[in-house]
Amino acid sequence: MVLNELGAKITGALAAMSNQMVIDEKVLDACLKEICSALLQSDVNVRLVAGLRNNIKKRVNVEELAAGLNKRKIIEKAVFEELCAILDSGNEAAAAAAAKDKDSSSSKAKDGKGDKGAAKFGELKKGKTHVVMFVGLQGSGKTTTCTKYAYYYKKKAWKPALVCADTFRAGAFDQLKQNATKASIPFYGSYSETDPALIAAAGVELFRKDGRDLIIVDTSGRHKQEAALFEEMRQVAEAVNPDLVIFVMDGSIGQAAFDQAKAFKESVEVGAVIVTKLDGHAKGGGALSAVSATKSPVIFIGTGEHMDQFESFETKRFVSRLLGRGDVSGLMDKIQ
C-alpha cells in the first residue's frame, strides 16, 4: 500500500467512525482495526502497530468520556498524536542523549572540528567544520542524496564539498562527479586508489585546508548486509572521525527496513535517517519504522530524482499531509 493509499485508508476509517450515531467501544475497535490493518499493509513494523493500538485504547476510554465531549475529535487527536509518536521516537532519543552529552560535547567543540553534541543527531551549527558520513545499502539513492544534502546546505550559505569513498560500485565516482559538477560543488575521489579509508581521509584533509565547513563522505553500499560492508564502514569512520553518520533508507524497502536499520546502528553510530524515494508510489511504512530501530530522527525525505525534490522532515507536517489535512508550513517553505 503506497503512502497516498495509507492516508486515505486511515482517513476513511476515521470518517466511517464519525458517521456512526453512537460512538462506543465496539465502534472504536472497528476503527482501530481498519487503521492497524492499513499500517501493516504499508509495512510498518508489527510491534509499532500493536503499540499504537494499545496506546490509543489507553488514552481514549469511550465509556468514561463525559457527556457533551466530542468523542470523534478526541479519537482523531489520539490517532494523530500516536502516529506522530512513532516518527518522533528518534527525536526523543536524540534529545535525551544530547542533553546527557551536553557538557562533554561543548569541550570537544573548542578545537573547531565540529560540535559533535549537536551534529550527532543531524543538527549542524555554523562556524564549525562538520564531517558527515553517509551509509546505506546499494540502490538506496545514497550518492544522489549526498548531492541533494550538499545542495540544500549550499543554498543556506554553507560551503559544502563531496568525497567519494565508494570503491565497490563501478561508476560511483563518475556519478558523484557528474552530480557535484551540476550543483557546482567541489568533489574529491580517485580512480586508482582502492582503499576507501585512505581516499576519505585525503579528501577530508584537502577540504579542511580549503576552508570547507561541510564535508560529506559517500561510502560503499552492498546489495545485502555483509561483514565486509560493516568493516569498511568502521574503517572509514575511524579515518575521518565523522561528526554525524546519516543512514539512507529506501522508502520502498518494506518489512526488512527494521532489521537492516538495526544492523547499521550496531556497526556505526547512526545519528540521523534520510528516507529516499518517498514519492506517490513508495510504501514508506517500513522505512519510517526504521526510526524506531536506529533511535535516530528522520531529518530529510527525498521525493524524486531532481535536486530540489528533497525536504526537511517534520513529523506533524508529514502526518497532516498523510491524513489529507494539507501542509501549510510546507507551502510556506516553498514560497520562501
Side-chain angles (χ1 to χ4, degrees):
M1 181 185 297
V2 299
L3 280 177
N4 295 348
E5 289 176 20
L6 171 62
K9 283 264 188 182
I10 296 174
T11 305
L14 291 169
M17 174 201 66
S18 300
N19 291 333
Q20 298 294 320
M21 293 292 290
V22 177
I23 297 177
D24 55 17
E25 198 72 30
K26 188 177 176 182
V27 171
L28 175 60
D29 284 340
C31 175
L32 291 180
K33 185 179 178 182
E34 283 291 314
I35 290 171
C36 291
S37 174
L39 289 167
L40 289 171
Q41 286 177 53
S42 189
D43 283 335
V44 177
N45 183 268
V46 176
R47 282 175 302 204
L48 294 179
V49 174
L52 175 136
R53 185 185 185 282
N54 292 336
N55 289 341
I56 292 172
K57 291 280 284 182
K58 284 177 190 172
R59 290 174 60 161
V60 183
N61 191 327
V62 177
E63 307 303 331
E64 292 184 9
L65 287 176
L69 287 178
N70 189 326
K71 293 179 182 178
R72 178 177 63 84
K73 289 290 184 189
I74 290 169
I75 293 168
E76 281 184 359
K77 185 172 184 286
V79 170
F80 179 85
E81 289 178 353
E82 287 302 323
L83 285 171
C84 289
I86 289 179
L87 298 174
D88 265 341
S89 59
N91 289 311
E92 288 163 12
K100 186 178 176 183
D101 292 346
K102 191 176 180 183
D103 294 335
S104 59
S105 65
S106 61
S107 61
K108 289 178 185 175
K110 290 177 183 176
D111 63 1
K113 293 186 178 181
D115 184 348
K116 287 187 184 289
K120 191 175 181 182
F121 302 105
E123 183 187 338
L124 305 184
K125 291 187 176 179
K126 288 286 280 181
K128 310 284 182 185
T129 298
H130 292 286
V131 178
V132 179
M133 176 174 155
F134 277 64
V135 300
L137 292 182
Q138 191 170 319
S140 61
K142 186 159 40 62
T143 300
T144 301
T145 303
C146 283
T147 316
K148 286 182 175 183
Y149 183 82
Y151 184 69
Y152 176 89
Y153 279 101
K154 182 185 176 184
K155 289 192 296 182
K156 292 183 175 293
W158 287 69
K159 294 186 290 181
L162 291 158
V163 178
C164 180
D166 182 354
T167 57
F168 178 80
R169 179 170 65 92
F173 181 34
D174 285 329
Q175 184 190 352
L176 183 135
K177 180 164 46 170
Q178 185 179 7
N179 289 349
T181 302
K182 196 182 295 182
S184 300
I185 294 167
F187 59 89
Y188 178 85
S190 174
Y191 287 112
S192 55
E193 179 57 64
T194 58
D195 186 338
L198 288 179
I199 295 173
V204 169
E205 184 61 28
L206 171 71
F207 289 127
R208 277 195 192 280
K209 288 178 179 175
D210 194 38
R212 294 282 148 181
D213 54 6
L214 179 57
I215 306 168
I216 299 154
V217 181
D218 184 20
T219 62
S220 298
R222 301 287 192 276
H223 286 301
K224 59 181 181 179
Q225 295 164 199
E226 52 188 48
L229 169 60
F230 294 129
E231 180 54 36
E232 185 178 295
M233 284 193 311
R234 280 191 287 268
Q235 289 173 2
V236 173
E238 284 176 16
V240 302
N241 189 25
D243 300 284
L244 171 65
V245 177
I246 295 177
F247 178 58
V248 180
M249 167 67 73
D250 183 338
S252 60
I253 203 166
Q255 279 287 350
F258 190 88
D259 292 333
Q260 288 185 358
K262 194 173 179 186
F264 274 86
K265 178 69 172 178
E266 287 167 357
S267 180
V268 291
E269 180 128 14
V270 173
V273 177
I274 293 178
V275 184
T276 62
K277 307 178 188 177
L278 270 187
D279 52 21
H281 305 291
K283 283 190 174 182
L288 293 172
S289 63
V291 179
S292 180
T294 59
K295 289 290 184 282
S296 305
V298 176
I299 54 171
F300 291 98
I301 56 174
T303 55
E305 285 295 314
H306 297 295
M307 202 72 70
D308 59 348
Q309 291 178 312
F310 188 70
E311 57 191 67
S312 59
F313 181 86
E314 289 179 22
T315 305
K316 288 183 178 177
R317 174 195 294 183
F318 181 83
V319 175
S320 289
R321 199 161 55 183
L322 183 70
L323 299 181
R325 295 184 179 183
D327 178 15
V328 177
S329 56
L331 178 64
M332 291 306 295
D333 283 352
K334 281 200 162 42
I335 290 169
Q336 277 187 329

